Structures are given as C-alpha cells and as structure tokens.
Amino acid sequence: MLKKCLFLFLALSCHTVFGTVDNYWTGNGDGVSWHSAANWSEGHYPVYNTNGSEKAYIGMNATTDYTVNFSVYASYDRSPGNFYLGQDSDPTGTYTLNITSTGFFCNVYSYLGPQGILNVEGGNYTTFGTKQLDGVVNVNNALYKNRSYVWRIGGYMAVNPGSTFRIQNGSRFSESSGDITVPNSYFTGTIDIWGGEMIMDGDCTTAIAWHINNGNIIAHGDTGTLDYYYDATEDETIITSTATENFWTGDGDGISWDDSDNWSAGHLPVYNNDRSELTYIGINSTDDYSVDITTSGGTKGTCGYLYLGRDSDPIGTYTMNVESSGEFYNVFTQIGSQGVLNINGGYLNTYGMKQLDGLVTVNGGTFKNRSSIWKIGGYVTVYQDGLLTFSNGTKFSSTSSDITAANPNFTGTIDLWGGQMKFQNDCTTAIAWHVNNGNIIAYGGNGSLGYAYDANANITTVKSYGEYYLDSINGNDSNTGTSPSQAWQSLSKFNSATFQPGDHIYFKAGCTWNGCMEIGDAWGPAQGSGTAANPIVIDAYGDISNKNNKPRINGYPYGNDTLKIQSIEYWEINNLQLTNDGPTDATPRTGVSVSSVNYGQMNHIYLKDLYIHDVRGVSSLDGWGTGAISTGRWDPDGGQYESYLNDILIEDCYIEDADPYGVFIGGGSKLLSEQQATNVVVRGNYFEDLRSSAVLVTGTESALVEYNEVNTAKGVGMWPFAAHNTLFQYNEVYNTVNEEGDDGNAYDCDYECTGTTYQYNYSHDNPGGFMLICNEPQNPDNVYGNQNPTIRYNISINDGSSDESIFYCWKEVTNASIYNNFIYIPSGKDVHLVSTGHTYGDDSLYVWNNNIIYSHGTARYLVNDDSTHWWDNNCFYGTHKKVWYRIGDFIIWQDGHPSGNNNITSNPNVVSLSYGYGFDSIVGYKLWSNSPCIGAGLAKYPGGEDFWGNPLFTGNPDIGPHEQ
C-alpha cells in the first residue's frame, strides 16, 4: 500500500492502455522461471527478435501494485524486441520487475513509464536502447549497461554501492549530434550516485558538469558530493560519490530518542536554531525503512531541517513513527514523495512545513504547523481523534495576508477520516474553495465535510462524515454503498458493516425491509462507536413529508427487537418507521431496544423523528421492557462493569398502537449507592392508542420528560418508578382509559421515588383522574417510599369520574407539595377532588396552597385514612362538599370545602373556561386584572415562572397557575 501511495505523486495520468494485439506478461510469483510458458498468459513467455516487432508488457492496466520476479542464471537470456514496464497512460498501480541474475540479461529496447520500477539485483543487465526511462531504477551490486544510440531519462535511477551504470556510447550521454560537450536534451530526470559509479565512453566532463549544476546528477539523495574525471588511457569518464551528512539509522521499535547507541556514528537528533544541521531519515534505502521514535513528557527537538524522503530518492519508503506523550518539536520539515510520517499520539509541533509531498497519517494526537510558509503536495490522513492544526491561518489561505484567498501551494490532499482540522482565524472562504477543488476530502472522497468559524475562539474547524446508503429496491450488497447509485440493499449488509465516528447512514424513503437491525453487541461494539464530537448518524433520504413514507423496517417475525442497540455509544437514529406486530402477545417485543450489557457507562443514544407503530407486546403492567421504545441494563454474574445509560434523547417521535408502553426507561439502578441512568430526555413525542403508559421512567437521576402529547393510554399517561428528581413539564395527556383495574390517570407520582416534580402540564378528559400519588410501604424492597413530590402550576380540566378522583392519594407519602394548580370541574360532573384510601397512609403529609378549584359541577373531598392535609390560601369556587358523617362506606355530605387559612370562595374571574387540544386552547385560564386571586397566594414558593412563562412576583403570588 505504501508503494502504491508513494507513486501517486509522480505526476501519473490515467488513459486507455495499449490495444489488444500485443501480448502481456502476467507472471505473478516469486522466482518465476524465465523460460516456463506455464507462468505466462496464453503460454506466452519472453522471447527475442532483433527487429523489435514483438512487444511484451508487464502488469499493464493493473489497478493495484503488481510485481514480477525473474531469476536468471543462464549465460545469455533475452527479452523481446520492445519491453514495456509501465507507461504514462497506465492507471495508478505500480509495476515492479525484480531481476536477480548471475548471468547476462539482454534486450533490444526498454520502456519504463512513471509507474515502472526496475530492480536489478546482481549480474549484467544490458539494453541496446533505453527509449524511455520515466520510472524508477535501482541498481544493486550489478552492472546496468546502456549500449544505446538513442536514450532518454526522465525518471529516477539510483546506483547503489557495488554497482556501475555504464553508458557505452558516451556521445549519446552528451547530445544526439555526437558533440559530447553538449548536454543531452532528453536527460530531464535524475541519476543518483549512492556509493556506486557511473562510466561513459569519451570525455564527457563538460556535459557532466552541466547536468550536475542542473540537478540531473546527484549524490546520496542530493546530500553528498560528486567526483568525476576523464581517464584518457581508457577513454572513459568516471563519476563517483561520497556522503557528507549524518543519517539517522535507528531501526527498532520503541527506541530511545536520547540514546546515541541507536543512531549511526553516535549521532542522535539535536536542535540548533540556525538550521545549519541537516538530518535525514532512511535516505538511499532501497527497501522500506522505518524509524520508531518514542518520547515522553517535555519538549524534544530535532535539528534545523528534518528530511524524511525526497523526490530524488530511490524507491524505498521512509517511515517515521512518533509515539509521544509530550511535545515533539522541530524547525523545518520536508517530506518527500517517499516519506511516510505516522503520528500515533502526543504532539508534533513544527515551525515550518516547507514541503509535504509524501504521506502523513495522524492516528490520534496533534500535528501542529506553526509555519508562515508551507506547502502540501502529498496526502495527509487525519483519523479518529487526530487533529491537524495550523496556528497561522492566513497561510492556509494564501501566501499573502488575505485569508479569503486559496493557497496556491496547496496542491495535494488532506483526507479527514473521523479526525478534525483547526485553523486560526476565519478561513471558511478558502476552505470552501479547497473543498470544491478536491484538496480537502472526507473518507477517501466518500464522505462529507462540515466546517464553521467560532468567533469567540477565533478558530475555524473542519470535520468529516462518511456517507452510506441503503435502497431495498434498487440497491445491491456488492456495491460500495457510498452514494445513492451505489446503495447497499439488505439489513444484513448494514448489520455486518463497521462504521467510523461521524459516518452518516441513509435509508431510502418509501422502501421496506423485513428483518431486524442490530447496532452493537452484548460483548463489544460490532458496528463501531461514534465520539462525542462525531456521533454516527442514521437518517432517511427522499421524501418523508408523510410519516408513512419513512423507510420501514418490519421486525416480526425475525426477532424480539426491530432495532436493537446494545453496548455501543454515540449513535443518533432519525426518521425510520419501525413495526413489530404479531398474531399474539409476546414479551419482550419492542420497536427499539437500547441496553448497556456488562459495558459500564453507555453514552449518547438519540432517537429522533421515528414513526413506531403496531408493536404487539403484552397489555399489562407486567410487560416491563416491552413496547415501542425500551431501554435497560444488564450486568451478568461475574460481569466486569456496573452498566448504566447516559445522555439518552427520545425526541419528536410518533408512537401509536404499541403494547404496553410507548417509552420505557430502565437504564440504571434505583439505589443512590449505585449508578442511575443520567441525562435522560423524553421530549416532543406524540403517543396514541397505548395498552398501558406512554412514558415510564425508572432507575434514573434527574430525567426530563417534556412537551409530549398523549392521546388514549390505557393506564397512567406518564409516571416515574424507582427514579429520583424526575421533572415532567409542558406535557398534555387526554382520553386515558381506566378499564379492568388500570389506573387511568394522566400523571402519577409513584413510589421508590424522591423529588418527583410535575409543572406546567395540561390534563383533560381523563376519566381516571389527573394525578395519582402513591406508595407501597409494606413491600420489604421499598427503600425510599415516595418522598417530596411536587405538583405545581398545572391545569386539569374535566378529569376524573364518579368512580375515580382527580387526585388519588394512596398509602404513605412524605411531604407532598401541591400548589398553584387550576382544577376545573364542568357542569353536571360529580367527582372527588381528592380521595385517600388505605390504612398505611397514617404518616402522610399533603400541603395544598394557592390552587384554584373551580367547580361548575360538584367537587368532593374524602380523606379515608389518617393522612394529614393542610389547605391554605386556596380558591374554592362553586359547589364543594366535605364529609359530615361517615360509617364505613356510608357517608353524609355537607356543603363546604376543607378548612384552612386564608382560603377564598369568590369567583376567580378567569378570561374563559373553554378548552380543547393543545396549550393554545387554554389561554383563557388566565386571571382578569380584577381577580380576587391576585396577590392572595402564600409567599412560600418564590422564584421561577408561571404556566405561561411570566416571572413570579417576589412577594405574595397570585393563586392559580397565572401570575397577573
């Protein structure tokens, strides 16, 4: 892979390859026999003819790296007349010919395109004509002899120790006219003398001097010196080289940065600010070369100039792996096309990226360029948790101070693969240009990019997202999946895929899948987790304006959970349609199941804009964990972790015909000594026709349930159990059903809870009543009972029935506060405003303040246990009845309301008593300016706001939910 990437930077182009009339060599094994026809396509193996009419090609049209190894031991072996190893018109694969020879290898004409790599290992390689040499040649302990009268070099040749490059016709080294003092105009490439020698017939010193000055002939990757002279006796011009610089040659994993024993000649990386010292890694290596540097703490400095591969180097790749927990620092860095820099952690800080033509990968950690001069012509990949940052943002834009202009020196590619880029200043204009120009891409070009400027931090951030598509009708699992035209088809393809942070997966609108989706696994994430900065997102593409057109997944009969999310983090699921019907009740059966299993803290699962319907679980309260959406945790015996959920959002979903629950939250422990589910939000959802509750919250700390609408739930609309400090606000519940012993209340403060609060909620037309406040003290597992529930600033209209009270208080409840609510009983309705009913309520305390109880019908008050109720500063208007005499179930009523201090009985003078669906329908429940309730409340609950968002008065508040 490295070699493939390496030669992407040799100015390749892609066109149609040669016609079909030529034969191709396709030998593909190590040590293949030169003369064995079995190793070649169509039995064709290299032959020789003198007129050059037969052509042979190695690896032509290969799209990946392609290598042929020849072992030549005979005294005289020949290739065909014309021999091709890569051409300008080839695709991006590299075509390597390795010749290991102890004999004489001869051919007529050789063509090496920019993708061609010829390694001559030993023996004598002779060609009568190098008509083209645009690739790479390495001569190792061998003689490479050109007997050509016509030749051209446009590529790179390395003459390594023990090797000779011999040009038999020296005049052709000079110029085709025969004047050996004139440089060869076809010689535009580089010959690198690296311990070997170069010999030419005749006195070619004049032309050699010109080519050295022109950079065509160099020594040791242009870091050494050349010596050349004419030997009149032999009539030959000879060039040799010597090295003058120090080279790093550390070659082990985890070598010490400060240990000179790891470096050649005891030379270890040092720092000098005048930049006079040059340091090279792996220069002149003909094989892949790797240096691993481990630093820890503090600041480590390199020399002034650090070279990691150069354009003039041979074919080896020169890799520097930095493992750092501190700051790795240098002045100027130049990375040639063969250079590979891997940053695997820590902080690499360079003052100047003068050249970056190779490969850089940021696998975590930070690569910071503080340069005022920089150039990128290579390929930089920034992976998950990696950061590429530029402190001088203007130079990202252009070499001037205009940050809106694109940088003309940025000709390469930065590929964000889950990582980020950050730039000082507002570079969004220039970034947009480079994104459109293809210099900045995401996920190899298959993802999308997002970028924004933060004025407060003065930083521009660029993020990446991979994109994948599923189409059940026109997709195909053999496609790449990275565009709508290349969409995958099946759920099994999705279930088997691994995704990266920031990826977006799109399901096509109008399509249907039968089966179950699985994200994660009980014993480790299968699909991959996102991160806090880059969650993985599922969404729809196409027209989803009608909820029935959202991508539909039918779970039955394929599994218990249509969408199963388990032990995985940072996923957001949007705009899917999920069903899980069946001919009979079943548990567990869900639309969506979210669980942390032996995982510890499982973070950030967002379910938004889902349409979940026809989920047939069971119809009773016993079906915990069953329904449209269910969350939970499980720590098996001997498990390593205490599992719980954190940052769970269920928002703007449409849930109907689900058994029994719409949303069941059970992601943590009820015990304060253990982990509760945290940061749970259930917001803005619509529920209809549920066989139990719309929302049940258990095992949570400070869960928030708000802006939900519940239409027809058999049982309590929403409630907590074994949860702490749960807040229910701005919800609307209506048309609950209380059949077959179901509670049927709109809301419930249940037991095993502390600090439950209901505020700013709207309840109407619920025959089971407005609020159930209950406990189960005789249960030995009941640790908390029901402590400190608060019901404040709510509106209840036409709730309760002849059999069910508006407030039903059951067993022992500690310090219930009920204040500033509006309870309206329409004409003709006879209902208990409050009733209690159990001997275990002896120690209960209910405090009723600042409530308006407006009865056009009849409101009755029945305290059928020894609980204590304090009634102060309330407004009792209309017909109210309290108990005068009672024996068992026989009660004699009398007119009147519960006794207390500062209660009023006059008309509260509200604007209107009409109501309907939605909060806009009850704006009439505000007070007129002449209301006797204004300023008549008990100043016990300061701060906050009223039902409509008005700030509360600092003195005595108004009675009711409106602060005039």
Side-chain angles (χ1 to χ4, degrees):
M1 179 62 187
L2 293 176
K3 287 184 178 179
K4 174 185 175 183
C5 296
L6 167 65
F7 289 97
L8 288 175
F9 309 119
L10 292 178
L12 308 184
S13 59
C14 298
H15 306 286
T16 305
V17 297
F18 305 108
T20 58
V21 296
D22 297 309
N23 291 303
Y24 294 85
W25 303 355
T26 59
N28 58 1
D30 289 342
V32 297
S33 171
W34 177 266
H35 290 297
S36 175
N39 288 300
W40 311 104
S41 62
E42 301 176 358
H44 178 76
Y45 59 97
V47 296
Y48 172 75
N49 61 15
T50 56
N51 62 12
S53 61
E54 186 165 351
K55 301 176 183 179
Y57 303 87
I58 290 186
M60 309 305 284
N61 199 30
T63 57
T64 58
D65 295 349
Y66 192 90
T67 300
V68 174
N69 302 311
F70 289 153
S71 298
V72 181
Y73 301 104
S75 60
Y76 198 75
D77 281 306
R78 294 170 176 168
S79 79
N82 285 343
F83 161 59
Y84 292 86
L85 181 62
Q87 288 224 348
D88 292 336
S89 57
D90 297 339
T92 61
T94 58
Y95 318 124
T96 303
L97 173 60
N98 297 316
I99 298 178
T100 303
S101 174
T102 59
F104 182 67
F105 176 88
C106 178
N107 76 309
V108 180
Y109 285 115
S110 298
Y111 292 80
L112 272 74
Q115 293 95 331
I117 303 172
L118 174 61
N119 296 320
V120 182
E121 305 283 347
N124 185 328
Y125 180 89
T126 297
T127 177
F128 275 94
T130 302
K131 301 193 73 172
Q132 179 177 321
L133 198 164
D134 285 339
V136 175
V137 175
N138 279 289
V139 187
N140 299 304
N141 295 306
L143 170 64
Y144 185 102
K145 188 174 183 180
N146 186 357
R147 302 178 62 186
S148 174
Y149 286 87
V150 180
W151 68 287
R152 166 190 165 194
I153 293 181
Y156 184 94
M157 173 179 284
V159 186
N160 294 307
S163 301
T164 299
F165 177 39
R166 175 83 188 229
I167 300 176
Q168 188 166 338
N169 190 317
S171 63
R172 297 311 178 199
F173 169 74
S174 303
E175 198 265 343
S176 58
S177 66
D179 183 354
I180 62 177
T181 65
V182 179
N184 183 351
S185 58
Y186 292 103
F187 183 9
T188 61
T190 303
I191 297 175
D192 196 347
I193 310 300
W194 209 296
E197 63 180 4
M198 180 176 175
I199 301 176
M200 290 145 288
D201 288 349
D203 183 357
C204 301
T205 53
T206 303
I208 286 171
W210 189 92
H211 283 297
I212 289 175
N213 292 331
N214 196 47
N216 300 129
I217 305 175
I218 63 175
H220 288 265
D222 205 21
T223 66
T225 58
L226 291 166
D227 182 30
Y228 58 95
Y229 61 94
Y230 172 64
D231 184 340
T233 302
E234 299 293 335
D235 191 27
E236 294 176 341
T237 304
I238 301 170
I239 305 177
T240 60
S241 65
T242 58
T244 59
E245 302 294 341
N246 291 305
F247 297 87
W248 300 358
T249 58
D251 57 0
D253 289 340
I255 60 177
S256 170
W257 174 263
D258 293 311
D259 187 352
S260 61
D261 291 339
N262 290 297
W263 309 104
S264 61
H267 178 77
L268 65 150
V270 296
Y271 169 74
N272 60 13
N273 197 45
D274 63 6
R275 309 166 192 167
S276 61
E277 185 168 348
L278 311 180
T279 304
Y280 303 85
I281 291 185
I283 304 301
N284 196 30
S285 294
T286 56
D287 297 320
D288 294 348
Y289 189 92
S290 178
V291 172
D292 300 323
I293 296 177
T294 302
T295 69
S296 60
T299 300
K300 303 295 182 180
T302 74
C303 62
Y305 282 89
L306 166 64
Y307 292 89
L308 182 62
R310 298 188 66 172
D311 293 335
S312 57
D313 296 338
I315 64 170
T317 57
Y318 316 124
T319 303
M320 178 175 175
N321 298 312
V322 178
E323 294 277 358
S324 173
S325 61
E327 183 174 349
F328 176 85
Y329 170 83
N330 76 303
V331 180
F332 283 112
T333 303
Q334 294 194 199
I335 302 178
S337 56
Q338 290 93 331
V340 180
L341 173 61
N342 296 319
I343 302 168
N344 299 317
Y347 203 108
L348 177 61
N349 190 341
T350 179
Y351 266 94
M353 182 56 66
K354 299 196 71 173
Q355 178 179 327
L356 197 165
D357 285 338
L359 303 177
V360 173
T361 62
V362 186
N363 299 295
T366 299
F367 182 23
K368 183 174 184 179
N369 184 3
R370 302 177 65 184
S371 173
S372 59
I373 302 174
W374 66 286
K375 168 190 172 185
I376 293 183
Y379 200 99
V380 180
T381 304
V382 186
Y383 289 104
Q384 176 183 352
D385 299 325
L387 174 62
L388 176 63
T389 179
F390 293 84
S391 63
N392 193 320
T394 58
K395 299 311 177 190
F396 170 74
S397 303
S398 78
T399 53
S400 69
S401 60
D402 182 4
I403 62 175
T404 65
N407 183 351
N409 293 322
F410 183 9
T411 60
T413 303
I414 296 176
D415 192 350
L416 299 185
W417 209 288
Q420 298 184 30
M421 297 171 66
K422 290 184 182 291
F423 300 92
Q424 190 180 50
N425 301 319
D426 184 356
C427 301
T428 52
T429 303
I431 286 171
W433 189 93
H434 284 298
V435 168
N436 293 331
N437 195 48
N439 299 129
I440 306 175
I441 63 175
Y443 291 91
N446 294 317
S448 57
L449 290 163
Y451 51 92
Y453 172 64
D454 183 345
N456 292 328
N458 194 28
I459 294 292
T460 303
T461 301
V462 187
K463 299 179 181 179
S464 60
Y465 310 95
E467 293 185 352
Y468 300 90
Y469 296 81
L470 283 93
D471 181 338
S472 67
I473 300 172
N474 299 312
N476 190 310
D477 286 350
S478 63
N479 289 341
T480 63
T482 55
S483 67
S485 63
Q486 283 288 312
W488 294 331
Q489 184 179 48
S490 71
L491 288 179
S492 60
K493 182 67 175 181
F494 168 85
N495 291 339
S496 63
T498 299
F499 300 100
Q500 301 293 327
D503 284 353
H504 283 52
I505 304 105
Y506 296 99
F507 286 73
K508 187 175 182 180
C511 286
T512 298
W513 288 264
N514 295 314
C516 296
M517 293 176 63
E518 297 179 0
I519 301 175
D521 183 80
W523 305 107
Q527 268 88 4
S529 288
T531 66
N534 294 297
I536 299 171
V537 179
I538 291 177
D539 213 325
Y541 71 104
D543 182 10
I544 55 171
S545 56
N546 186 324
K547 67 181 186 299
N548 292 295
N549 204 46
K550 290 186 176 183
R552 177 168 176 157
I553 301 171
N554 298 317
Y556 180 81
Y558 303 96
N560 293 329
D561 310 300
T562 304
L563 171 57
K564 184 176 184 178
I565 305 170
Q566 191 170 82
S567 299
I568 205 164
E569 299 181 288
Y570 299 104
W571 279 72
E572 299 181 359
I573 319 297
N574 308 304
N575 289 309
L576 297 182
Q577 179 182 180
L578 307 172
T579 76
N580 201 350
D581 206 348
T584 60
D585 291 0
T587 183
R589 184 182 281 161
T590 71
V592 182
S593 172
V594 181
S595 60
S596 177
V597 179
N598 192 40
Y599 187 79
Q601 178 174 303
M602 177 176 159
N603 298 298
H604 192 96
I605 301 297
Y606 286 7
L607 307 173
K608 299 172 66 175
D609 295 291
L610 303 179
Y611 176 35
I612 306 176
H613 58 98
D614 297 297
V615 179
R616 186 166 185 179
V618 295
S619 59
S620 69
L621 291 176
D622 296 332
W624 285 38
T626 300
I629 298 174
S630 176
T631 75
R633 64 158 190 166
W634 177 53
D635 295 324
D637 292 341
Q640 182 178 0
Y641 303 103
E642 183 180 351
S643 297
Y644 66 102
L645 302 178
N646 175 63
D647 191 17
I648 305 299
L649 174 64
I650 301 170
E651 186 174 59
D652 295 333
C653 296
Y654 193 112
I655 297 172
E656 63 178 341
D657 294 321
D659 304 334
Y661 295 102
V663 171
F664 178 93
I665 300 293
S669 171
K670 71 176 183 179
L671 298 177
L672 293 174
S673 60
E674 297 179 355
Q675 290 286 0
Q676 291 82 44
T678 51
N679 297 305
V680 173
V681 178
V682 182
R683 175 189 293 132
N685 305 284
Y686 176 79
F687 301 89
E688 183 173 346
D689 290 333
L690 306 174
R691 288 211 282 178
S692 186
S693 300
V695 180
L696 170 56
V697 178
T698 73
T700 59
E701 170 59 44
S702 302
L704 175 61
V705 182
E706 63 179 2
Y707 297 102
N708 301 284
E709 181 179 351
V710 181
N711 175 11
T712 313
K714 185 180 180 182
V716 175
M718 51 185 63
W719 55 295
F721 176 82
H724 306 284
N725 302 308
T726 311
L727 176 59
F728 296 83
Q729 62 181 9
Y730 305 109
N731 302 290
E732 179 181 7
V733 179
Y734 51 93
N735 297 337
T736 58
V737 179
N738 63 324
E739 297 176 349
E740 301 173 7
D742 294 316
D743 294 321
N745 309 83
Y747 307 106
D748 171 18
C749 293
D750 219 285
Y751 68 96
E752 293 288 2
C753 295
T754 61
T756 303
T757 298
Y758 284 90
Q759 63 180 14
Y760 316 127
N761 298 286
Y762 175 30
S763 171
H764 61 98
D765 304 308
N766 296 296
F770 165 53
M771 184 68 64
L772 170 64
I773 309 174
C774 66
N775 190 16
E776 187 77 21
Q778 70 271 30
N779 186 334
D781 295 326
N782 187 359
V783 178
Y784 305 104
N786 188 342
Q787 301 180 38
N788 305 314
T790 299
I791 298 97
R792 63 188 296 273
Y793 288 93
N794 303 282
I795 295 178
S796 167
I797 302 174
N798 194 31
D799 286 329
S801 63
S802 59
D803 298 321
E804 302 292 344
S805 59
I806 297 173
F807 283 88
Y808 187 48
C809 303
W810 174 257
K811 301 184 182 179
E812 183 178 334
V813 176
T814 304
N815 297 328
S817 296
I818 305 166
Y819 62 93
N820 286 96
N821 301 284
F822 195 120
I823 312 299
Y824 175 58
I825 302 170
S827 177
K829 194 178 188 74
D830 190 327
V831 62
H832 288 77
L833 185 283
V834 60
S835 65
T836 66
H838 205 284
T839 57
Y840 285 97
D842 294 1
D843 296 325
S844 297
L845 174 63
Y846 298 86
V847 179
W848 305 75
N849 300 130
N850 306 343
N851 301 287
I852 295 177
I853 303 167
Y854 196 126
S855 177
H856 273 159
T858 301
R860 299 179 185 269
Y861 302 83
L862 175 62
V863 178
N864 199 25
D865 56 20
D866 292 327
S867 59
T868 300
H869 296 255
W870 293 347
W871 298 83
D872 296 326
N873 297 77
N874 299 285
C875 175
F876 298 97
Y877 179 67
T879 302
H880 299 265
K881 293 185 179 294
K882 61 182 180 179
V883 175
W884 177 72
Y885 180 79
R886 179 182 63 197
I887 300 178
D889 294 332
F890 177 74
I891 301 174
I892 298 176
W893 300 89
Q894 65 176 336
D895 291 338
H897 56 76
S899 61
N901 299 313
N902 304 314
N903 294 306
I904 62 176
T905 59
S906 55
N907 191 331
N909 287 340
V910 297
V911 174
S912 170
L913 293 173
S914 63
Y915 73 100
Y917 299 107
F919 279 67
D920 290 341
S921 70
I922 52 174
V923 293
Y925 285 73
K926 297 179 181 180
L927 302 174
W928 285 115
S929 59
N930 63 347
S931 171
C933 293
I934 295 175
L938 180 66
K940 186 178 179 181
Y941 312 103
E945 58 186 32
D946 73 357
F947 188 91
W948 288 275
N950 302 308
L952 298 182
F953 188 61
T954 55
N956 288 346
D958 298 347
I959 294 176
H962 178 222
E963 185 71 22
Q964 180 40 268

